[in-house]
Amino acid sequence: MGMDVTSVLNQLNSAQEQAVTSDKKHLLVLAGAGSGKTRVLVHRIAWKIQVDNVSPYGILAVTFTNKAAREMRERIDNLLGMSLRGMWVGTFHGLAHRLLKAHWRDAKLPENFQILDSDDQLRLVKRVMRAMDLDEQRWPPKQAQWWINGQKDEGLRAAHIQESGDPFMATMLRIYRQYELLCEQLGVIDFAELLLRVLELWRNNPEVLGHYQQRFGHILVDEFQDTNVVQYAWLRLLAGKNSDVTAVGDDDQSIYAWRGARPENLMQLQEDFPSLEIVKLEQNYRSTGRILGAANKLIDNNPHLIPKTLWSELGPGDPLRFITSENEDTECERVVNEIIDMRLKRRCKYSDFAVLYRGNYQAKLVEIKLQTQSIPYEITGGQSFYAKTEIKDVMAYLRLVINTDDDNALLRIINTPRRQIGPTTLERLGDYANKRGLSMYAAIDEVALSASMPANNLERLKAFKSWITGVQKNIYSGNPIAAVNEMLSDADYLGWLHQNASSDPVAQKRWDNVNFLLAQLTQALKIDQHDEPNKNGDSAIENAISK
């Protein structure tokens, strides 16, 4: 059984309750960070269904991520105690796809149209540019892809854009025209096209638009500050004159201007819906007073559309410290040392700490510093540096060189790159090794193994083992990192990356990750040389890898 929505109102603060229960036709909830906007949005939907007797199938709820859509649906189901599978809750792109699948003919699409992901779209742009004989060095395909998507986010087809004397604009426009033609020939659309195509579907088919305007009498939009031109036009057209609109947003949290987001849409909303009521959620439930005080001071420097001030009942909290570092290496080292220091002084657990960074590219150095100190961690919302394919490959090579009994490492890299050692050969080698109680590496030299496989397959295994032995000698007798580089060069690992990557930039990025790993190993080796000699006789490279 779900709970009675009216019974949980006492769990809301006065501003949240006002937003949930408002009977105004149009509502803007200006929700500061950590002020419970998702709770308000979910409760407002439940209020409309349970108290205002609105059909759940007459509600359209729009979010910006699939995760947010799933969370919203689950919370509504839990609140009402029933499944609302037929309710339209989703992202702009997800809902647009659903509409186009239902109205493909009116949208002038083939019934089984395909959606291009970013990599597929880039390949198509490159194809167009090759046909136009454009130099990719002078005209980078990614730049053309970004420009095309930017025009679509503004609601502009190639036919809508005026010719100009600007050579760059003229070239981009030529690419856009040919790209549109090729997409039409192939029956494919990209992500930006999803929204533009639905906007055109409604504009060109009043009966289709009328059907959805009548159906969705209540439209609720999350993260409204991140809507772009097409998304706002989409919502404005669907709302028409009769639908109720609830928008939740905060211009101070708009960070997607580079993707076409227009926080000014919050102001446009007030112009288009003059009866709009504004409710401000200013109580923050996540942070203490000092954090909010600092945040408010910074936010005061922003050009405000609608002013607000966050506050908290969680007390002042610890003083804030601002630390500057010479470079990213010392910055990450300082972060790790702070964790160690606070854990010892305050008896904290590792799970009490969170390390935030601006972009996923910064995570790898943080990870390496944490591993150096044997601090356990979990990456949230991104892939661990050590989980990347190329890093696992190189580490597997090093693990096998250091410990030839590591069968998992051998199986990972014996055909990376390809060495014409097939799965049947490896299966026979594994069976033989198991029977003799040996590692697969040691079993290669066993005389009796020749009875298990053809001679040419055995020769390939022996050649691989001989090569690893040579790598071991180089690593243990000279400069270990130079030896690792030579090993990867001998294996033509970079060439193999180019063969298996979706594009050259992807392969180069993976190779850059390998070089970053080797640079960190070099640093660890330098540190190791200043340490006391290892009592177990381990090599410097073993110590570096273990760190």
Side-chain angles (χ1 to χ4, degrees), residues 221-468:
V221 189
D222 195 10
E223 306 291 4
F224 198 82
Q225 74 280 354
D226 291 329
T227 53
N228 60 28
V229 170
V230 165
Q231 288 163 341
Y232 185 83
W234 199 89
L235 291 164
R236 183 71 188 87
L237 197 58
L238 180 59
K241 295 180 179 178
N242 299 316
S243 296
D244 295 358
V245 175
T246 297
V248 180
D250 178 11
D251 56 308
D252 288 326
Q253 295 185 65
S254 182
I255 59 172
Y256 291 115
W258 57 277
R259 274 192 341 206
R262 293 184 78 256
E264 296 87 355
N265 286 342
L266 291 165
M267 301 300 290
Q268 187 66 44
L269 200 66
Q270 296 182 69
E271 291 183 26
D272 291 339
F273 301 100
S275 62
L276 185 78
E277 178 185 23
I278 298 177
V279 177
K280 297 181 183 180
L281 303 185
E282 297 174 298
Q283 183 176 356
N284 178 285
Y285 290 91
R286 292 181 191 155
S287 305
T288 54
R290 286 193 174 102
I291 292 174
L292 291 179
N296 286 330
K297 285 286 186 185
L298 287 172
I299 291 171
D300 281 344
N301 294 301
N302 291 350
H304 285 287
L305 298 178
I306 309 172
K308 66 181 180 316
T309 303
L310 298 179
W311 58 277
S312 172
E313 290 182 341
L314 298 178
D318 292 339
L320 304 184
R321 285 184 297 153
F322 182 74
I323 299 168
T324 56
S325 301
E326 294 177 10
N327 53 50
E328 61 179 4
D329 191 81
T330 55
E331 180 182 51
C332 292
E333 200 164 289
R334 179 64 184 270
V335 167
V336 171
N337 287 338
E338 287 287 333
I339 291 171
I340 294 169
D341 186 56
M342 290 182 70
R343 187 165 182 267
L344 291 172
K345 288 179 178 176
R346 299 197 180 189
R347 306 293 183 192
C348 299
K349 303 189 292 293
Y350 286 127
S351 58
D352 293 331
F353 297 92
V355 179
L356 308 181
Y357 36 81
R358 292 183 305 281
N360 287 332
Y361 70 94
Q362 295 176 296
K364 56 189 178 184
L365 190 54
V366 177
E367 282 194 80
I368 286 169
K369 297 298 183 184
L370 290 170
Q371 289 215 351
T372 299
Q373 298 294 339
S374 301
I375 296 175
Y377 62 89
E378 180 181 327
I379 297 288
T380 301
Q383 185 185 32
S384 167
F385 179 67
Y386 290 96
K388 295 180 186 297
T389 300
E390 61 274 16
I391 301 304
K392 291 170 81 171
D393 288 344
V394 175
M395 293 301 285
Y397 268 110
L398 296 178
R399 280 165 40 214
L400 185 65
V401 167
I402 290 166
N403 175 20
T404 54
D405 290 339
D406 191 335
D407 284 353
N408 286 332
L410 181 143
L411 288 169
R412 181 175 184 90
I413 55 89
I414 198 166
N415 267 320
T416 306
R418 304 271 183 248
R419 294 187 177 87
Q420 295 182 299
I421 300 172
T424 303
T425 299
L426 291 174
E427 187 177 340
R428 289 173 178 173
L429 174 62
D431 288 343
Y432 180 86
N434 287 339
K435 288 175 185 174
R436 297 277 292 122
L438 300 168
S439 68
M440 293 173 72
Y441 186 89
I444 292 172
D445 282 337
E446 290 276 300
V447 175
L449 180 63
S450 59
S452 302
M453 64 184 67
N456 59 340
N457 292 359
L458 184 57
E459 283 305 310
R460 291 190 190 106
L461 288 173
K462 288 187 174 182
F464 172 75
K465 181 171 183 179
S466 174
W467 180 69
I468 289 293

Side-chain angles (χ1 to χ4, degrees), residues 481-500:
I481 301 302
V484 173
N485 273 311
E486 186 180 337
M487 171 187 74
L488 295 174
S489 177
D490 285 347
D492 191 25
Y493 188 76
L494 178 57
W496 182 79
L497 283 178
H498 278 284
Q499 288 175 8
N500 289 273

